[in-house]
Amino acid sequence: MAADDSDDPTTSLRVHRGLCIPYSEITWRATTSGGPGGQHANRTLSRVEVQFDVAGSAALGPRQRSRLLERLGPTVRASASDSRSQSRNRQLALERLATKLDVGLRVDPTRRPTKPTKGSKIRRVEDKRRRSETKRQRRAPSDGDD
């Protein structure tokens, strides 16, 4: 029985049920994180940036690729510098990348226009009639016969 690497969390990033991206297609970069922190922040490469090449990916299908290119562009980046630990920032960056890709692939349902209900039409007309009557009673009495 052959093992399938596509769902293995140690070799691929699971975006959603139908898509796993191998780590070999993700580019990693570690840099020093900005902001305060003294020598630790200045010396350690704890900020992690991950980059995914949408245009050159073999893991994406043609529809997925075209949707991501249209919505997110040819490369998708995510970074994390929340933690002092590079490994934790790596996890956070991967989660953010997966979220961006998932949102980019999401298909919004088509809107089906609905008609107002009979009750809502009746309420609208009654409200208009009441409002009209209120305004009519505010007017000065007319001298002529109606």
Side-chain angles (χ1 to χ4, degrees), residues 56-77:
S57 174
L60 297 173
R63 274 190 252 142
Q64 291 174 329
R65 181 177 291 107
S66 65
R67 180 168 285 128
L68 286 176
L69 285 171
E70 178 184 320
R71 292 183 178 179
L72 301 176
T75 57
V76 182
R77 289 184 176 91

Side-chain angles (χ1 to χ4, degrees), residues 28-35 40-41 43-50 77-90 93 96:
W28 304 80
R29 193 171 87 191
T31 59
T32 57
S33 61
H40 177 79
R43 294 285 183 184
T44 58
L45 303 174
S46 58
R47 179 181 181 270
V48 175
E49 180 177 309
V50 291
R77 289 184 176 91
S79 63
S81 60
D82 301 4
S83 172
R84 289 170 56 103
S85 164
Q86 188 188 75
S87 62
R88 178 64 185 140
N89 284 335
R90 185 179 287 212
R96 291 173 187 170

Side-chain angles (χ1 to χ4, degrees), residues 34-146:
Q39 188 170 351
H40 177 79
N42 297 336
R43 294 285 183 184
T44 58
L45 303 174
S46 58
R47 179 181 181 270
V48 175
E49 180 177 309
V50 291
Q51 182 175 332
F52 175 63
D53 181 23
V54 174
S57 174
L60 297 173
R63 274 190 252 142
Q64 291 174 329
R65 181 177 291 107
S66 65
R67 180 168 285 128
L68 286 176
L69 285 171
E70 178 184 320
R71 292 183 178 179
L72 301 176
T75 57
V76 182
R77 289 184 176 91
S79 63
S81 60
D82 301 4
S83 172
R84 289 170 56 103
S85 164
Q86 188 188 75
S87 62
R88 178 64 185 140
N89 284 335
R90 185 179 287 212
Q91 290 173 347
L92 290 171
L94 284 174
E95 288 171 12
R96 291 173 187 170
L97 179 68
T99 302
K100 279 185 178 183
L101 293 173
D102 188 34
V103 169
L105 288 170
R106 194 164 293 148
V107 180
D108 296 327
T110 56
R111 184 188 175 281
R112 294 188 196 103
T114 58
K115 291 194 278 187
T117 62
K118 187 174 182 181
S120 68
K121 287 180 181 177
I122 291 170
R123 283 190 299 274
R124 182 181 61 84
V125 172
E126 284 296 315
D127 288 343
K128 284 176 69 137
R129 189 190 54 73
R130 265 190 246 111
R131 184 77 176 144
S132 171
E133 182 65 25
T134 302
K135 287 187 170 191
R136 194 178 63 74
Q137 288 183 358
R138 288 183 192 155
R139 289 189 215 141
S142 61
D143 293 334
D145 292 335
D146 287 356

